[in-house]
Amino acid sequence: MLVNEHKFLEVICGRQSGVAPALLRGLLSLLEPFYLAGAQSKNFLFDTGLKKPQRVSSRVISIGNVTTGGTGKTPTVAWMCDFFERHRLRPGIVSRGYRSLDDEGNDEHRLLQKLCPNVPHFQNRDRVAAARQLIDSHHPNVIILDDGFQHRRLHRDLDVVLIDCLNPWGYGHVLPRGLLRESARGLSRASIVLLTRADQVTEAEKEIIRQQVRSYTDCPVVSSRFVPTGLRNSGGEIASFSELQDQKVFAFSAIGHPEAFRRTLNSVGFELDDDRFLQFPDHHHYSAEDLSKILKTASAKDSVSLMTTAKDLVKIGDDRIGDLPVWAIEISLEILDSQAVWEETLLNAASDERLPES
């Protein structure tokens, strides 16, 4: 599965050449219109009023994207929770709970519990039911609907759409030929667009993305980046990057954009060759066999420490794999421009009463 997902992405992005990849891209192109028709049909029902979004008594802010995974929704949700708490609001989180194994929820739920310990988080495939349960039990005045852009059944007061500057349009095709969940024209529903990883492209490249966004919507467009802040293990111990930079390290991840994680590692002084990085599918649940493979591969490279993401660490739940310590890189969202517009938009959507920051 690990190898197949990586090869699949290599095929759809066009890096794999030859007869077999070309045939596969052709087959996927034949399937693409069917997926697109399904997405357009659902949107048509809501756009024309044949289906009505269901309202709840709290304000709802949706965070989503037009491509599959890896745009940075989880650190953005954490930033918003902190922001609203500082403005004396009571946020709550609702999400689907994709690939949950038990009552503790999926990897995003476990990570957000650590990042936002005072914010209730309900997961349910029925997001309307989850929102109502959250309101009944915790009385939030603003609900953050995680990954909600395509889930139109729950009414929202603001649609925040994240676009990853490293792959803004999912290779230019809708699933399964590309990574778009719907046509990019769906951006016309966005209230505000947040460009993520804007620091990892040139100003010229960022401006092209901005112009592309503006061809679909005239809503505000804000740039951001994810700043690595330090290292932490599952026991809560903290380390600086400089403490480990002289060590031989090995990295692994199971996230939607592993290449962005590698770029983050490089930015703080850990430059890893391909043979020092192991990639698993997004939301992958680590088995004992997986952990053994990580340990064996890392040990063969004389590694003395393991690096992963905070989202991966919560699934492992231990500060060591075998005799090797495991460290997660912590990141936080930083707004690069139009911060006043960004914050004003969020506060206006979250509350009728403007409260001073505490």
Side-chain angles (χ1 to χ4, degrees):
M1 184 176 181
L2 159 63
V3 175
N4 289 344
E5 178 168 307
H6 178 69
K7 284 189 174 181
F8 178 73
L9 292 176
E10 290 287 302
V11 168
I12 64 172
C13 75
R15 282 194 290 266
Q16 283 276 355
S17 58
V19 176
L23 288 174
L24 180 56
R25 285 190 288 269
L27 174 61
L28 295 174
S29 294
L30 294 175
L31 298 175
E32 181 180 3
F34 295 97
Y35 187 96
L36 179 59
Q40 290 175 331
S41 298
K42 184 177 74 172
N43 283 327
F44 174 80
L45 294 175
F46 285 100
D47 292 341
T48 57
L50 294 173
K51 276 192 173 183
K52 302 282 188 183
Q54 299 192 39
R55 291 178 176 268
V56 294
S57 57
S58 297
R59 294 298 188 96
V60 176
I61 294 178
S62 165
I63 297 180
N65 39 276
V66 291
T67 57
T68 59
T71 56
K73 292 187 296 294
T74 301
T76 304
V77 169
W79 186 96
M80 281 192 185
C81 287
D82 177 69
F83 175 74
F84 287 136
E85 286 183 313
R86 285 188 282 110
H87 285 82
R88 296 192 292 161
L89 293 168
R90 299 185 307 278
I93 305 169
V94 163
S95 61
R96 177 188 174 188
Y98 178 68
R99 295 210 67 189
S100 296
L101 281 182
D102 51 38
D103 292 340
E104 292 186 33
N106 65 359
D107 47 7
E108 282 110 346
H109 185 278
R110 297 180 192 201
L111 177 56
L112 285 167
Q113 277 188 319
K114 289 184 177 294
L115 297 175
C116 316
N118 299 318
V119 178
H121 184 170
F122 279 43
Q123 292 194 315
N124 192 328
R125 288 177 63 89
D126 185 342
R127 264 59 64 94
V128 175
R132 289 172 175 161
Q133 291 165 358
L134 177 62
I135 292 168
D136 289 343
S137 58
H138 291 85
H139 313 293
N141 44 27
V142 56
I143 293 174
I144 299 171
L145 176 60
D146 188 5
D147 199 11
F149 191 54
Q150 284 77 30
H151 183 78
R152 299 184 64 182
R153 188 166 156 257
L154 178 60
H155 169 83
R156 70 286 319 272
D157 300 280
L158 190 76
D159 257 314
V160 180
V161 179
L162 275 56
I163 293 180
D164 181 1
C165 287
L166 294 179
N167 188 10
W169 310 114
Y171 308 124
H173 292 274
V174 174
L175 291 164
R177 174 61 183 85
L179 298 180
L180 283 168
R181 292 174 163 184
E182 59 178 298
S183 166
R185 289 191 293 273
L187 281 174
S188 61
R189 305 194 309 273
S191 309
I192 187 168
V193 169
L194 182 67
L195 302 182
T196 61
R197 303 188 178 97
D199 60 320
Q200 299 189 33
V201 297
T202 66
E203 284 299 320
E205 289 170 325
K206 186 167 68 172
E207 185 56 31
I208 289 172
I209 297 170
R210 281 180 175 273
Q211 293 302 320
Q212 290 170 329
V213 170
R214 294 197 187 286
S215 70
Y216 301 111
T217 177
D218 59 0
C219 74
V221 181
V222 178
S223 299
S224 69
R225 66 171 181 161
F226 299 116
V227 182
T229 58
L231 299 167
R232 185 185 295 267
N233 67 16
S234 61
E237 294 180 73
I238 297 172
S240 66
F241 299 122
S242 60
E243 290 178 61
L244 277 72
Q245 281 174 348
D246 293 333
Q247 297 183 5
K248 288 185 176 180
V249 302
F250 184 89
F252 64 96
S253 71
I255 57 174
H257 202 327
E259 185 56 35
F261 175 49
R262 290 187 66 168
R263 287 176 179 240
T264 300
L265 287 167
N266 290 342
S267 72
V268 293
F270 301 107
E271 296 189 15
L272 303 178
D273 297 330
D274 288 346
D275 59 358
R276 286 190 171 274
F277 188 89
L278 197 53
Q279 174 184 336
F280 292 84
D282 192 17
H283 295 287
H284 181 72
H285 293 286
Y286 294 101
S287 65
E289 183 180 351
D290 294 328
L291 299 181
S292 177
K293 179 178 181 179
I294 292 169
L295 178 62
K296 182 178 179 180
T297 310
S299 298
K301 299 296 178 183
D302 298 322
S303 305
V304 297
S305 292
L306 298 171
M307 295 283 181
T308 192
T309 71
K311 190 180 288 189
D312 289 296
L313 186 64
V314 295
K315 291 185 290 186
I316 295 170
D318 203 340
D319 59 4
R320 305 184 82 83
I321 296 179
D323 59 347
L324 297 183
V326 185
W327 296 95
I329 290 189
E330 296 192 309
I331 60 173
S332 63
L333 178 73
E334 180 181 300
I335 304 301
L336 297 176
D337 58 47
S338 307
Q339 181 152 351
V341 172
W342 168 250
E343 294 185 358
E344 186 85 7
T345 301
L346 294 178
L347 285 175
N348 285 341
S351 177
D352 290 326
E353 299 180 13
R354 296 296 307 279
L355 297 172
E357 185 172 349
S358 60

